[in-house]
Amino acid sequence: MRLDNKVAVITGGGSGIGAAIGRAFAQEGAAVALTDVHFRAAQEIAAEIAHVGGRVGAWVFDVSDRPAVEQAADAIEQQLGP
């Protein structure tokens, strides 16, 4: 797969284009970090991806909140890798 050993961080991953990109990247082998301001939506897409065998996690933050983004980036790296 083209994205094996890669981690993709998808903003707006709980719906629409972000969710579609998350699914596609997971299908190509990437570990996917779905982020969204709507945590439940990101969790639902993450569960869908995990159900078909993808490595995935969901995080909630607003991209305009720099400390929240930095904290999430650390958590994503710990769970999914660099």
Side-chain angles (χ1 to χ4, degrees):
M1 294 195 203
R2 295 185 301 173
L3 298 177
D4 283 346
N5 302 313
K6 302 289 183 189
V7 176
V9 179
I10 311 297
T11 59
S15 65
I17 294 170
I21 291 169
R23 290 181 191 106
F25 280 27
Q27 188 173 18
E28 289 297 326
V32 177
L34 296 173
T35 70
D36 206 295
V37 294
H38 304 290
F39 188 51
R40 181 163 287 168
Q43 285 180 309
E44 289 173 6
I45 301 301
E48 177 187 315
I49 291 170
H51 182 72
V52 294
R55 263 183 67 219
V56 63
W59 285 266
V60 62
F61 64 83
D62 182 333
V63 296
S64 68
D65 182 350
R66 185 181 180 106
V69 171
E70 291 172 351
Q71 184 178 30
D74 291 340
I76 290 166
E77 185 173 10
Q78 286 179 355
Q79 183 174 333
L80 298 178

